[in-house]
Amino acid sequence: MKTFNRIINTVVSVVFVAGLTSCSDFLKEYSQDLAKVESWRDLDEVLLGDGYMHSARVISKYSGSRPSADGASDGLDILHFMADEFDMNRTDDYNDFCGYKYTMFPFYTWQQDTGIDYKLKYSGGDAAYWNNLYKHINVCNMVIYMIDELTDDPDEEQKERVKGEAYFLRGMYYFFLANLYAPPYDPESASSAPGVPVKTSEIVEDTEFLRESLADTYRQIISDFNEAARLLEGKTAKSRYHADRTAALLMLSRVYLYMQDWDNAIDYAQQVLAINSSLQSISSVSPGESYVSISSPETIFSMGHYLIASNFSDDDWGDYEPMFYVSEYMRNLYDDDDMRAGRYIGKTHSGFYSNVFLKYYMQYPVFGGYSDVSSYCLLRTPEAYLIAAEANANKGADAPAREILGRFLSTRMSVMPDIDGMSGNALIDFIREERAREFLLEGHRWFDLRRYTVCKPYPWSKIIEHEYMYYSQSYGKDLDYIDTYRLEKNDQAYTLPIPREVREFQVSIGNNPRPARVANREVIEE
């Protein structure tokens, strides 16, 4: 068992076979021992191999076998299971191609201990998310240190690019850690609230790690993204799978929005739009085509996979339903004038089932290819528009908020909604709903629900209920009973517990308060 101390300190040799069908650079094999680094190219390969998160796919490994996930160990699909964006199918659980029903049980039902399995027994495994993020951070720390040691390498521009990408990635990973394992950022309590352990040194330390304050954690995140933006200025990214200055600026805008620093959120969003304000009209994409893609003019950066989309597929014969459906709450947010209604949500490839997620098309006939964009780390220009609108509205600048919002909505609506008279809470509510519509299953929703609970001008929270189905046989249609779990308003479960395995080896880290869950059981009569 790997302890947190080993994960955060150990220098690793990186061996990775990556796959992205649209980018040949991701189809190479990298084997790089950090002790043999001689040039920026070596560190570039190390960063690509084990600094960035990797893509994955759903394939049938053997003739006639059910599809399964391949290469999915590195990701943050847990973000999709804690929010209110989809519901579990009540009819059958056959088309669970990634095995999400069982692996995601403790997150989907907000268990007090996320190492609990669907039988309510401790099985562990939840430390993988914590450990993987710190593993990536460790690689970034080593790259940042070692790039400056390459005094015999004269290519300063490429060295700065590699170093800038490492700073960007480290900032991203600490951002994820802070928004999973620390409370939402409240400016009034951030200096005393617990954040996460922060390590920026490449030096191996045999020590007990402590959690920085949430304010200090965010200061580190801001510092990393600022340094990334500085180093990446004037540099050309090798592809959209490599971070560039625009990506760093957008993340700075997002972080300041979470911190409720409205002016800085607006400033950095405007800097992004000054570089890339591209929006793609929804009408340019036919129903059944992926709207989000690496080639879209809206795409700034992506890393990771989009496996969650496969579980909204029926099988090749259409006799088994999708594992998940877009939730009724989310479906009701799209009206008839919203062109996303038929493109983000629609029918399965067989046409038998409606209200499934189609924004990233991964229906049964296209299984086998690697995801070309991510469902949890995809940066797009619409975010800059909606951050600027939300931040302006929160500071009472309703007219600028409406103007920015209108520019964005003109590419999404067949008939523009009447937003001219919107102000105050009504305008904020509309922008929040617009974020839910636009970023459906892109990894934003859970973090948004968290931060809304502590928003100073307009706090908001809601009750979420998730049903969990139990069948008499695996992958059967004989439903025995349904357990319904409930996330209350302002629930402490908006913050994950520190994984038990981590706490056992690093007692100094402590844990986060999180209430136990009691299910409401409905027995299904034959």
Side-chain angles (χ1 to χ4, degrees):
M1 183 184 302
K2 294 183 177 180
T3 68
F4 169 71
N5 199 42
R6 290 174 59 195
I7 284 293
I8 201 169
N9 286 311
T10 302
V11 180
V12 294
S13 294
V14 180
V15 182
F16 170 56
V17 181
L20 280 176
T21 55
S22 60
C23 180
S24 60
D25 285 347
F26 280 71
L27 298 176
K28 299 177 181 177
E29 179 176 351
Y30 297 99
S31 178
Q32 182 61 60
D33 187 335
L34 290 174
K36 300 177 182 178
V37 170
E38 295 178 353
S39 73
W40 67 264
R41 290 180 178 84
D42 297 325
L43 290 177
D44 197 25
E45 292 182 358
V46 167
L47 199 62
L48 179 60
D50 214 41
Y52 283 90
M53 288 182 168
H54 307 143
S55 187
R57 58 182 175 171
V58 175
I59 59 172
S60 293
K61 293 188 176 181
Y62 306 103
S63 177
S65 67
R66 295 186 66 257
S68 61
D70 177 55
S73 60
D74 187 23
L76 289 172
D77 286 338
I78 55 175
L79 290 178
H80 307 307
F81 287 85
M82 298 182 284
D84 57 354
E85 295 176 291
F86 60 74
D87 294 324
M88 187 177 291
N89 180 5
R90 269 189 171 218
T91 302
D92 66 72
D93 62 351
Y94 183 79
N95 287 343
D96 184 14
F97 301 120
C98 298
Y100 282 139
K101 180 182 178 185
Y102 300 109
T103 60
M104 293 296 163
F105 168 80
F107 302 99
Y108 187 69
T109 60
W110 312 289
Q111 293 297 311
Q112 185 177 45
D113 187 334
T114 50
I116 297 298
D117 64 18
Y118 73 104
K119 297 179 180 178
L120 302 181
K121 304 293 185 181
Y122 180 77
S123 60
D126 55 325
Y129 304 102
W130 172 283
N131 288 344
N132 282 337
L133 289 169
Y134 276 110
K135 180 196 73 174
H136 287 304
I137 287 169
N138 181 62
V139 172
C140 293
N141 287 341
M142 294 304 303
V143 169
I144 290 168
Y145 166 73
M146 296 190 74
I147 200 81
D148 289 334
E149 297 296 300
L150 299 177
T151 55
D152 294 334
D153 190 333
D155 197 338
E156 294 300 325
E157 181 171 344
Q158 289 299 328
K159 285 160 66 176
E160 284 191 352
R161 178 187 62 78
V162 173
K163 189 176 182 180
E165 290 184 30
Y167 271 110
F168 173 88
L169 292 172
R170 191 173 73 181
M172 181 67 77
Y173 298 135
Y174 276 124
F175 171 81
F176 282 138
L177 284 164
N179 282 278
L180 288 170
Y181 297 104
Y185 192 98
D186 183 339
E188 294 181 358
S189 61
S191 61
S192 58
V196 297
V198 172
K199 185 176 186 294
T200 60
S201 170
E202 82 293 346
I203 299 172
V204 175
E205 299 174 84
D206 184 12
T207 184
E208 290 284 318
F209 285 90
L210 299 174
R211 298 169 72 176
E212 304 290 336
S213 72
L214 190 57
D216 285 341
T217 303
Y218 268 73
R219 272 191 282 271
Q220 182 61 53
I221 295 167
I222 291 290
S223 175
D224 281 350
F225 285 133
N226 271 321
E227 189 65 3
R230 183 186 72 82
L231 290 165
L232 294 172
E233 185 170 9
K235 311 299 191 301
T236 301
K238 295 171 71 174
S239 74
R240 290 179 183 172
Y241 298 114
H242 288 258
D244 64 3
R245 184 169 187 269
T246 310
L249 295 174
L250 182 53
M251 284 308 302
L252 281 165
S253 181
R254 184 193 295 186
V255 174
Y256 279 121
L257 181 75
Y258 282 36
M259 296 172 69
Q260 303 183 49
D261 184 339
W262 314 125
D263 289 334
N264 270 316
I266 294 166
D267 178 46
Y268 283 102
Q270 295 291 6
Q271 289 187 54
V272 171
L273 295 176
I275 298 169
N276 183 2
S277 61
S278 299
L279 290 172
Q280 182 177 9
S281 175
I282 293 289
S283 61
S284 67
V285 178
S286 300
E289 296 179 359
S290 291
Y291 183 80
V292 290
S293 68
I294 202 65
S295 61
S296 168
E298 296 179 352
T299 299
I300 294 172
F301 169 75
S302 178
M303 67 172 174
H305 55 248
Y306 219 127
L307 289 182
I308 184 66
S310 68
N311 278 245
F312 292 85
S313 172
D314 53 12
D315 58 33
D316 205 25
W317 304 274
D319 53 351
Y320 285 98
E321 295 187 40
M323 184 65 217
F324 303 115
Y325 284 95
V326 177
S327 69
E328 182 179 0
Y329 174 83
M330 292 302 304
R331 294 197 299 269
N332 290 338
L333 289 180
Y334 299 89
D335 62 28
D336 293 339
D337 297 328
D338 195 325
M339 292 184 287
R340 291 167 295 195
R343 292 168 173 84
Y344 287 13
I345 304 172
K347 292 185 176 181
T348 57
H349 82 280
S350 67
F352 293 160
Y353 309 110
S354 301
N355 296 322
V356 299
F357 176 75
L358 293 181
K359 181 168 65 170
Y360 185 75
Y361 191 87
M362 196 185 283
Q363 291 289 300
Y364 195 98
V366 300
F367 284 3
Y370 285 95
S371 318
D372 77 332
V373 289
S374 171
S375 66
Y376 49 83
C377 195
L378 172 62
L379 304 185
R380 300 193 293 124
T381 55
E383 185 177 359
Y385 284 91
L386 293 176
I387 286 176
E390 181 182 346
N392 271 294
N394 270 304
K395 63 179 289 188
D398 293 339
R402 291 193 297 266
E403 188 275 330
I404 296 166
L405 186 60
R407 278 190 279 154
F408 171 72
L409 290 173
S410 66
T411 65
R412 268 58 183 167
M413 309 298 291
S414 59
V415 177
M416 284 290 288
D418 183 10
I419 62 173
D420 290 342
M422 284 188 182
S423 62
N425 214 143
L427 181 57
I428 284 290
D429 287 345
F430 185 88
I431 294 170
R432 287 173 175 171
E433 290 181 351
E434 187 55 36
R435 283 184 64 89
R437 286 185 283 266
E438 178 59 27
F439 300 129
L440 176 64
L441 287 171
E442 287 187 46
H444 288 269
R445 183 61 174 171
W446 177 248
F447 288 168
D448 280 348
L449 290 171
R450 279 169 40 93
R451 66 185 180 87
Y452 295 156
T453 66
V454 295
C455 178
K456 293 303 176 186
Y458 303 102
W460 179 80
S461 191
K462 62 175 291 189
I463 294 170
I464 305 174
E465 290 187 344
H466 283 169
E467 293 181 339
Y468 194 85
M469 319 303 169
Y470 288 85
Y471 296 85
S472 57
Q473 57 183 344
S474 179
Y475 302 118
K477 290 176 178 281
D478 298 324
L479 183 60
D480 284 350
Y481 59 91
I482 301 170
D483 280 350
T484 300
Y485 292 89
R486 181 178 170 119
L487 185 75
E488 302 292 346
K489 293 182 179 180
N490 304 304
D491 203 306
Q492 286 181 309
Y494 274 114
T495 302
L496 291 178
I498 305 299
R500 187 187 299 189
E501 294 177 24
V502 174
R503 301 196 313 267
E504 288 176 350
F505 287 95
Q506 287 282 317
V507 179
S508 57
I509 292 175
N511 199 6
N512 297 316
R514 190 171 166 97
R517 298 289 140 182
V518 178
N520 180 34
R521 178 162 295 182
E522 175 189 355
V523 178
I524 306 301
E525 302 292 339
E526 293 186 1

